[in-house]
Amino acid sequence: MNKQAGKVILIIGIVLLTLSAGMLFFRNNSKTDWSSNWNRDVIVTDGMTPKEGGVSEFTISEAGTYKLKLSWAKDRKANDIGFVTGCVLIDKYGRVIYGTSAMKGYIDTDIDLQEGNYTLNFTHITTEEDYKDFAKKYLCGDYEVDSWAEGFDFESFPKDQVINIKYEMSVSKQGVTSNLVYGLVFVILISGALIVIILTMFTEGRRLESRKYDERQELERGRGFKYGFFTMIIYNSLAMCLDSAGAVPNMEGVVLYFSGILIGIMVHVVYCIWHESYFALNENKNVIMITFAGIAVVNLLLGINTIISGEMVVNGKLTFRVTNLLCAGMFLVLFITMFLKKVSDKAKGVDLEDEEEEA
């Protein structure tokens, strides 16, 4: 492409980068519809405590997707707390919209709420029997209650103590339909910006041609697609069986099935790279390597930020926010594969030269 076209594409890349950065500010400026903060002294006497820890009520004036943020005892260590706090969000009809339990909790989730009044109930629990009653009523069915209770060592709870617990609650109307959509759009924008900018830098002053493959490459690419497709089918079949049997690790469904997509992509790309059919005949391999490395770094930074903010694991459950780290891992694997293939090709080239010199 000529220099003029290169400048236009570079401008497009900068615009995409600006939009992705602007999304961060847009996200942080969502309106808070309701918030409340408490400090409560919870008294445990002879291994028992008043179960009702407090009630908060709020009103939703417009139906939509809302961010629910809850935290309690975040400044304390779990082994210093002698009880489990159960939290339940109930609508005006008495239906349970959301429920959770933890010794110390941090909740950051999107919930679809209708117009009306809602109640947040906090319950303090010190015995396994009381916890099972609470879990069966609000959190899970009879067949799961034992596994939920196994997460707490009720026998080790202090029998007498007074502990101050700080509660923080807020409900905010979301400008974006969900965190998942927001995260995907953000990654697409910033990845697109990196690709455009890198392509512009490495093709400046040269003609940009369509990718060309020979017959052997097309055949190998077809095999790569086949292996990637069947890998994804096998993975998702196993995942569905494990999910049905309740044998899946504690994670959101999107994490389980999104991982299958990434694995299928990796199988396809790695196969094509090693069979010299991923890169077109007229394609610059270094550009793709640098692009993949850049995307891996961006996703890694986003993943690290999610870990620091405490949003990757909520109440012991792996959330969809881990997808950034999964993407970073995939692109890192692809970058390493390209690098190893490049080293291998170079070594083979040296060997061939040595043989020709000996002949």
Side-chain angles (χ1 to χ4, degrees):
M1 61 182 170
N2 57 40
K3 291 185 177 181
Q4 188 65 28
K7 290 179 180 178
V8 172
I9 295 180
L10 182 60
I11 291 173
I12 293 174
I14 293 173
V15 169
L16 289 173
L17 196 61
T18 303
L19 286 174
S20 60
M23 287 184 69
L24 295 176
F25 294 99
F26 174 75
R27 185 64 164 186
N28 292 334
N29 288 333
S30 58
K31 181 188 174 215
T32 299
D33 291 73
W34 170 82
S35 65
S36 180
N37 297 309
W38 300 343
N39 274 296
R40 294 284 191 272
D41 284 331
V42 181
I43 303 173
V44 180
T45 305
D46 294 330
M48 301 299 292
T49 184
K51 293 184 176 61
E52 293 304 321
V55 177
S56 270
E57 297 180 349
F58 62 91
T59 301
I60 296 298
S61 58
E62 181 183 1
T65 300
Y66 288 79
K67 175 180 282 297
L68 175 66
K69 281 190 174 184
L70 304 172
S71 70
W72 60 90
K74 66 179 182 180
D75 57 339
R76 293 188 173 276
K77 295 181 179 179
N79 55 11
D80 293 335
I81 304 172
F83 51 86
V84 175
T85 297
C87 176
V88 181
L89 176 63
I90 301 173
D91 67 7
K92 61 182 179 182
Y93 302 108
R95 296 176 300 191
V96 176
I97 305 300
Y98 181 81
T100 188
S101 62
M103 298 183 73
K104 56 181 293 183
Y106 178 83
I107 309 299
D108 182 353
T109 186
D110 286 352
I111 297 182
D112 292 328
L113 299 178
Q114 301 299 316
E115 180 181 344
N117 298 322
Y118 291 86
T119 303
L120 269 171
N121 284 331
F122 291 90
T123 302
H124 300 316
I125 308 166
T126 56
T127 68
E128 184 174 355
E129 182 181 356
D130 287 344
Y131 180 79
K132 287 184 177 181
D133 290 340
F134 175 85
K136 283 190 288 187
K137 185 176 181 181
Y138 297 115
L139 305 179
C140 61
D142 292 347
Y143 65 97
E144 288 184 316
V145 69
D146 289 333
S147 62
W148 280 67
E150 287 175 358
F152 306 103
D153 184 8
F154 291 95
E155 296 297 327
S156 67
F157 286 178
K159 302 304 180 183
D160 296 280
Q161 71 171 164
V162 179
I163 186 169
N164 183 267
I165 300 294
K166 182 178 181 181
Y167 299 82
E168 296 178 354
M169 300 153 275
S170 69
V171 176
S172 306
K173 184 74 165 62
Q174 295 298 87
V176 182
T177 54
S178 72
N179 280 329
L180 178 58
V181 173
Y182 172 85
L184 290 175
V185 171
F186 178 80
V187 171
I188 289 171
L189 280 175
I190 198 164
S191 299
L194 286 172
I195 292 171
V196 169
I197 292 174
I198 292 173
L199 285 176
T200 303
M201 292 171 59
F202 280 86
T203 58
E204 182 64 37
R206 296 199 301 272
R207 191 174 179 182
L208 190 64
E209 300 175 349
S210 59
R211 304 173 77 186
K212 297 179 181 178
Y213 300 93
D214 60 25
E215 292 182 4
R216 184 199 63 80
Q217 286 180 307
E218 292 290 359
L219 180 62
E220 295 292 355
R221 284 170 62 80
R223 289 174 179 164
F225 280 119
K226 180 177 69 174
Y227 295 146
F229 173 77
F230 281 112
T231 298
M232 190 162 55
I233 292 297
I234 293 171
Y235 175 93
N236 283 322
S237 297
L238 291 173
M240 284 189 289
C241 292
L242 292 174
D243 196 8
S244 300
V248 176
N250 200 13
M251 64 176 67
E252 294 183 356
V254 67
V255 178
L256 179 65
Y257 294 103
F258 185 71
S259 298
I261 296 174
L262 296 184
I263 291 173
I265 293 173
M266 276 198 299
V267 169
H268 161 68
V269 177
V270 169
Y271 177 88
C272 290
I273 290 173
W274 279 106
H275 289 80
E276 300 179 350
S277 58
Y278 183 74
F279 300 104
L281 298 173
N282 59 333
E283 197 166 28
N284 189 327
K285 297 180 182 180
N286 291 329
V287 174
I288 306 299
M289 286 184 65
I290 294 173
T291 301
F292 280 10
I295 295 174
V297 170
V298 169
N299 279 279
L300 180 61
L301 293 175
L302 291 173
I304 292 173
N305 180 64
T306 303
I307 294 174
I308 294 173
S309 65
E311 298 174 334
M312 185 168 294
V313 178
V314 177
N315 286 338
K317 188 172 187 177
L318 193 63
T319 71
F320 72 89
R321 294 178 183 274
V322 76
T323 51
N324 283 122
L325 287 183
L326 294 177
C327 287
M330 182 189 74
F331 281 104
L332 181 60
V333 169
L334 300 183
F335 174 81
I336 292 173
T337 303
M338 291 179 183
F339 177 78
L340 293 177
K341 177 61 175 171
K342 188 175 182 179
V343 171
S344 175
D345 289 343
K346 186 176 180 181
K348 289 178 181 178
V350 172
D351 292 341
L352 288 174
E353 289 178 3
D354 291 342
E355 291 177 3
E356 291 175 358
E357 288 178 0
E358 292 176 0

